[in-house]
Each structure stands twice: as structure tokens, then as C-alpha cells.
Amino acid sequence: MITSLARRRLVAIASLLVAAGVGLPLPAVAARAAEEPQTNIELPKAESLEGDFLAAIVAGSAGDTNAAATYFRETLKDDPRNPELVERAFVAFLADGAMPEAFKAADFIVRREPNNGLARLTLGVKNIEAKRYATARRELARGGRGYAADITATLLTAWSWAGSGNLKQAISTVERLKGESSYNVFRDYHAGLIAALRGDDKEAEQRLTAAYNAERTTLRVVDAYARLEAGRGQKDNAIAAYEAFEKLMPRHPVVRAALADLKAGKPLRPLVETPQQGAAEVLYGLGAAGNSQGDEVAAMIYLRLALFLAPDHELAKITLGDILERLKQYDEAIALYKTLPGDSPLKAHADVQVAMSLDALEKPDEAIAYLKGDVERNPTDVEALSALGGILQKRKRYAESAETYTKAIDALGTPDMGNWSLFYFRGIAYERSKRWPKAEADFKKALDLAPESIGRDRALILNYLGYSWVDKGMNIDEAFQMLKRAVELRPRDGFIVDSLGWAYYRMGRYDDAVRELEKAIDLKPSDPTINDHLGDAYWRVGRRLEAKFQWNHARDLNPEPEDLAKIVQKIKDGLPDEEKPAAAEVKEPAGGETKDKNGG
């Protein structure tokens, strides 16, 4: 057992961590971790119980669930019956997918705290997987209450009744979801899946049709409805549902694969074929919702439980991989993505994410080779070509990047509004490789394709084209209006605010330039270009000491070599008095390079 002195040390450590902000609620901790770079290294063994405990808490706070689970595993070797350690370890084991250890911890917790909701949920899932449906219902009935708990326990209980062969009780249980309008789709969707599993086609059609009519923009609802219709011989209805979704979200691999099978006369398997898969669908839905809301740790727990019930649930794997990437757990994400089978519609997407994770691990050559292998196998894989173009661009291989984006665009056939980003990124590659006429044409094409409805993303195009024009002394008035609109769409983007400030500068409105560039510095204090621009504006309004301070700061922030030489010259000599604002004398250069204002 742990000594009283060691126990006091653990409490003191935990208190210090809370005071330092490490003991934040799990969602906030995970969100913070997603902003901070981490590396995957072999974990050192701490030399004491306190050291293992501290390491586990810090790892969990950083979103490194594997490290947290490893260190908690060590603490439990020294004190396996410490309630605080067991409960913390339980959450880490769940998030890391260490299910046998999570089940053991859950058993310990409910002996001390019979109504612990997460522990009861975990034990309920364990029993559903083992087909001990009555035991699962008893576990779920004793969990805590609350919005998420009510939905989860009710739907899992319904699926346990389906597992017991009692369709009437299963549907009756689903019907308990009342009161919130958002419950309606949950209720009809799962009631329809249960009815379909148990062979009640009439009830299944009624329920899934209701869910589909209420929520035609959700892939799982559309997929379940279309698969039911196809199974009933209503092939045209299934095709119509998929094609309607395709118009909303073009080129989704699941939809494209289903349409190809239908048109080739192949049957579609039901979305759910066992009670375990149905229960996994509940947990996947909650995990996907948590992921979209930034609640990473809770989402990971739901997804791990879903994958325990349905190890082949491909969307659960993709969603969990996405979370692992955001938490900088790239090795774990790669391992998960590689478990998708070769014939999966999502395999190509998973391969792209493997390459992106390799690039994030600073293994660009491996990432590029991985994607080139995909492209060799499928030369028209737009997603792989786009990802390859992006990695090449990030590594400043601009000519290769432009060529790769051209292949992606050629593979499209006729581009639509969803393809604006390909032209935008190819435009950046052209601009950075000093092929301005082609870059300008691509930025204009991206604007033509991109609807106003994309909102903040449209600001990226407006900013890049507007800034490029301003920096080249071209179309100043039109560029100025573009940049004002870009700032309206992204008022907290330092690069875009800088572009507006630079437009004011080029128009000779130096006081306005100082105002906007000071805002940009507040938003992006470590960008050398913004510091350089503010130095120029300060010089023009007579604040010459401050101008040299900004130029010195820009020099120290690792600017591009060609910019560094100009900055050093300004530190020495200042700006020439004879410079005229672009608004007074506009000239259109034939080419030249513009600083990437969107971080590219």
C-alpha cells in the first residue's frame, strides 16, 4: 500500500498541477494540447511512485493518452487499490483503448461508487459485446443521469433488447427519447436500424424514412436509408438518396462506392447486422459529435468503446485517427489508419492521412513517397494528388507542387464550387515560383468557384490576390476592397489585417497603415513580414526610432534571405525620401514574387 507520506506527496503534486492549469477539465486540456507540438519518444521510467504519478498527469493533460496509460500502469503496480489512482487510470485506459485494464478498473470503481456513470457504461458495453444482454441492462440502469447519459443508456439498452430478440421492448425503449427536438432523429434512426435487424421491414421503412426526411445532410442517416431501400428492391430510391447527398458533399468515398455498386447491380449490405454493431453505432455517433465540438477525450472514449463492439467500424477509426492527429499522436494515428482494409472506400483517405502524419513527424520524404505510391496505383486520385501538392508546397518545392495540383485539376473534369481550393493552392505554387500571370488566373478562378457561403475560407483567396496586387502596385482600388472584405470575414487573422494595413501604406495613407499594422502585430507578433511593414509605416509617420526597433525585430525573426538583405539596408539607411505611394503611380510588373500572406 502507499505510505501516508507518499499519499501526501501525491495530493500536493495534484494540487500544484491544478494551480498551474494542468488540472483543467479534460476537454479544455485536450484543446490546449492540440495547439502545442509534441514528439513521440520512448517513455523514460520514473524513479518513484510520485514521479510516475506526475508523469501520468502531465501526459494526460497534454492529450498523450498512451503515455498517461503507461505511467498510470506503473503507479498501480505500487498501489493497486488507491481509489484516486484507479479512477484516473480508468479514464486513461479507456481513452487509450486498453480495454481489459479499463474493465478491471471499472469493476473496482463500482464497488466503491455504485452509480458511477462512466464505469457502469463501460461494464454495460463489455456485457453487450459478450452477449450478456440482461446483465448489460442492469449495468446501464445504474449509471448516472444527465443529457448524454440518458441518450447513451437508453439507446444501448434498446440495442440490448434487440440482442435478446425482444423487438417490441427495444422499440418501446427507444421511444423514451422525448422532449428535445434533437431526439427525434436519434429515435427514428435507431428504431429503424433495430427494426431492420429484426426483420420488421414496415417499421424499418417508416422510421428510417422519417429520419432521412428530417436529416438529409447526415451521411449515416442517408446511408442507412439508402441501404434499406436497396435491400427492399427500391434501387431507384437508393440511388436518388445518394445522388442528392453527392450534390451537397461531392466525391464522398462512401457515397461514390455505394453508387458504383448499385449501378453495377451489386447488393448493398445493411448498415447494421448485429446488436453489437448497433450499439457501436450509438457510441460512434456520440464520439463524432464530441469530436466536432472539440471534446477530444470524451470523444476518444466513446470511439474506443465503439471499436471494442465493432472492431471494423471504419468511420470510427477515421474519426479517432483525426483526433489522434490533432493531439499530435501521429504514430498512433498512422497505426490506426493502416488497419483499414485495402477494399475499403475510405482506404484512400486513410492513406492520405498516413502521409500527412508522416510529414508532421518531419518525415517528408517518406510522406511524399507514400503518396506517390498511391498516385501510381490510382493516377486520378484527387485527394492523394491534392495532399501531395500540399506537402511539396510546404517543403518549398513549388514547381513540383504546381505540376501536381495540375494533375488533380485535370482529373476533376469539370470543376465545381467544391474545387476552389485546388486552384487557390496551385495559384500559391505559381506565385511562389514567380509565374505571376498563371497565379493570378488561378486566384480569379478560385474566386469564381468559391461561393460567398464558404465565408471565412473565401477570405483566404481575397487576401492572397488582394495582397499580391497591392504588393505589385496593381489594381489598388479593387485590391483594397478585397482586403477590407477579407478582414470583415477574418478580423482575428493577423496576416489578413497586415494585408489591409499594407494596402493603406501603398495608397499613402500612413496613419491608417500604422493603425492596422499595429493590430496585425498584436495578432501575429512573431511574423517578420508584419514587423517589417510596421517599421516602414512608422518611418513614414516620423516615428523613426520605433521603425528601426521593428526592423531589428524583423531581422531577428528569420525572414526570407531576399527580405533580410532589404531589412538590414533599412536599419542602416532608413527609407528613401523620394518613394511615392502606389495610389499616385500604378505600374503593372510582368512578374515577381509576393510574400505568402496565408502562412504558405
Side-chain angles (χ1 to χ4, degrees):
M1 291 291 290
I2 190 169
T3 66
S4 59
L5 176 59
R7 192 184 303 278
R8 286 197 297 272
R9 288 178 180 171
L10 291 179
V11 172
I13 289 169
S15 299
L16 287 171
L17 291 171
V18 171
V22 181
L24 292 170
L26 290 176
V29 168
R32 176 179 296 179
E35 300 172 0
E36 300 174 357
Q38 303 171 28
T39 57
N40 293 282
I41 58 175
E42 185 176 349
L43 300 176
K45 175 69 173 70
E47 296 183 358
S48 66
L49 172 61
E50 294 93 331
D52 281 321
F53 179 78
L54 177 60
I57 296 297
V58 171
S61 299
D64 190 344
T65 58
N66 181 261
T70 298
Y71 283 117
F72 274 126
R73 199 171 285 122
E74 293 299 318
T75 65
L76 291 176
K77 288 179 181 178
D78 292 322
D79 190 6
R81 304 190 67 77
N82 182 301
E84 180 183 359
L85 291 183
V86 173
E87 190 153 359
R88 288 176 178 271
F90 170 55
V91 173
F93 292 151
L94 276 180
D96 193 47
M99 304 313 293
E101 291 163 300
F103 295 142
K104 183 178 178 181
D107 282 326
F108 177 89
I109 290 168
V110 297
R111 287 197 294 270
R112 296 186 65 259
E113 190 182 344
N115 295 324
N116 185 291
L118 183 57
R120 290 294 182 188
L121 169 64
T122 301
L123 294 173
V125 167
K126 176 185 177 182
N127 283 287
I128 289 174
E129 192 275 338
K131 301 182 181 180
R132 296 190 293 264
Y133 300 116
T135 304
R137 289 193 288 274
R138 286 195 294 273
E139 295 288 357
L140 295 167
R142 300 187 68 181
R145 309 316 317 153
Y147 177 84
D150 283 343
I151 292 178
T152 309
T154 299
L155 291 176
L156 291 180
T157 298
W159 278 105
S160 77
W161 282 115
S164 296
N166 192 331
L167 176 61
K168 181 178 180 181
Q169 189 62 46
I171 298 297
S172 175
T173 301
V174 174
E175 285 297 322
R176 296 178 194 167
L177 290 179
K178 293 181 179 179
E180 296 282 346
S181 59
S182 59
Y183 286 2
N184 294 340
V185 174
F186 278 108
R187 184 178 66 238
D188 287 329
Y189 176 62
H190 283 281
L193 292 176
I194 289 169
L197 178 66
R198 287 300 163 196
D200 189 339
D201 289 346
K202 182 178 180 181
E203 179 79 9
E205 182 186 13
Q206 177 184 338
R207 296 295 190 141
L208 288 178
T209 299
Y212 174 69
N213 288 335
E215 193 58 67
R216 297 187 179 208
T217 61
T218 299
L219 173 63
R220 293 304 268 181
V221 173
V222 173
D223 201 19
Y225 167 76
R227 287 173 183 274
L228 177 73
E229 290 296 280
R232 295 177 56 249
Q234 302 298 317
K235 178 179 172 181
D236 290 343
N237 289 351
I239 291 174
Y242 283 129
E243 289 182 340
F245 187 86
E246 175 81 359
K247 291 178 181 178
L248 296 172
M249 188 178 293
R251 304 181 68 85
H252 194 289
V254 170
V255 172
R256 291 172 70 86
L259 279 171
D261 284 347
L262 284 172
K263 291 177 181 179
K266 297 179 181 179
L268 298 183
R269 295 174 63 177
L271 193 68
V272 167
E273 296 181 289
T274 68
Q276 287 70 31
Q277 291 177 358
E281 191 67 18
V282 175
L283 296 162
Y284 162 70
L286 292 167
N291 179 43
S292 67
Q293 296 166 7
D295 194 352
E296 282 96 350
V297 175
M300 289 176 76
I301 289 172
Y302 282 128
L303 293 167
R304 294 290 192 186
L305 290 170
L307 287 168
F308 174 73
L309 288 169
D312 296 328
H313 197 302
E314 294 175 2
L315 282 173
K317 290 182 180 183
I318 293 293
T319 306
L320 180 56
D322 176 62
I323 296 172
L324 289 168
E325 286 186 83
R326 288 210 309 278
L327 296 178
K328 315 301 181 188
Q329 304 305 305
Y330 299 114
D331 286 324
E332 289 82 359
I334 288 170
L336 184 63
Y337 288 134
K338 285 186 174 181
T339 64
L340 267 74
D343 61 353
S344 167
L346 296 170
K347 178 63 174 175
H349 174 78
D351 284 346
V352 166
Q353 296 310 120
V354 168
M356 301 301 285
S357 292
L358 287 170
D359 187 57
L361 288 169
E362 294 300 324
K363 298 178 180 180
D365 292 340
E366 289 184 43
I368 290 168
Y370 201 89
L371 286 172
K372 284 185 174 179
D374 279 352
V375 171
E376 286 177 7
R377 289 187 293 272
N378 183 3
T380 61
D381 186 340
V382 173
E383 187 176 8
L385 287 164
S386 178
L388 178 58
I391 291 175
L392 290 167
Q393 190 172 112
K394 179 182 175 182
R395 301 298 167 178
K396 299 185 178 182
R397 293 163 62 172
Y398 299 116
E400 293 175 76
S401 174
E403 181 182 352
T404 303
Y405 279 121
T406 296
K407 292 178 181 177
I409 290 168
D410 290 345
L412 288 173
T414 302
D416 57 34
M417 65 182 184
N419 306 130
W420 65 267
S421 62
L422 292 175
F423 290 91
Y424 169 68
F425 286 115
R426 188 177 68 172
I428 293 175
Y430 279 144
E431 186 271 326
R432 299 297 283 167
S433 56
K434 300 184 180 181
R435 289 180 280 179
W436 171 245
K438 289 187 173 183
E440 184 181 36
D442 271 357
F443 292 139
K444 289 180 176 179
K445 180 66 173 180
L447 274 179
D448 288 342
L449 289 173
E452 284 287 344
S453 60
I454 69 170
R456 286 167 49 84
D457 286 341
R458 186 175 170 83
L460 301 176
I461 315 169
L462 292 167
N463 176 63
Y464 211 113
L465 180 56
Y467 177 83
S468 298
W469 277 345
V470 165
D471 205 50
K472 295 175 184 298
M474 301 169 60
N475 308 325
I476 296 297
D477 290 339
E478 186 178 357
F480 181 69
Q481 295 304 318
M482 283 183 172
L483 293 172
K484 286 183 68 176
R485 178 58 180 155
V487 171
E488 289 173 2
L489 292 169
R490 285 181 176 252
R492 302 291 300 169
D493 189 313
F495 292 121
I496 292 178
V497 176
D498 169 68
S499 296
L500 180 60
W502 195 237
Y504 278 125
Y505 180 90
R506 298 285 288 177
M507 296 171 73
R509 296 169 58 176
Y510 300 125
D511 289 329
D512 290 327
V514 166
R515 182 190 67 244
E516 297 301 324
L517 291 169
E518 286 179 338
K519 291 179 186 176
I521 282 288
D522 287 341
L523 295 167
K524 286 285 182 183
S526 299
D527 182 73
T529 301
I530 300 175
N531 280 275
D532 182 30
H533 285 172
L534 182 57
D536 289 5
Y538 278 157
W539 186 272
R540 290 300 174 202
V541 297
R543 296 164 64 175
R544 298 195 169 187
L545 184 62
E546 292 168 278
K548 290 200 172 186
F549 174 83
Q550 293 301 147
W551 289 330
N552 276 285
H553 193 38
R555 177 199 61 197
D556 296 337
L557 289 171
N558 193 31
E560 295 290 334
E562 62 268 30
D563 294 330
L564 177 60
K566 296 175 184 177
I567 292 167
V568 170
Q569 186 67 39
K570 286 188 284 190
I571 292 170
K572 179 182 176 183
D573 300 325
L575 291 174
D577 292 337
E578 66 270 17
E579 181 173 309
K580 295 180 181 180
E585 184 178 15
V586 176
K587 296 180 180 179
E588 293 192 7
E593 184 175 5
T594 299
K595 187 71 175 177
D596 181 348
K597 297 301 296 171
N598 292 324

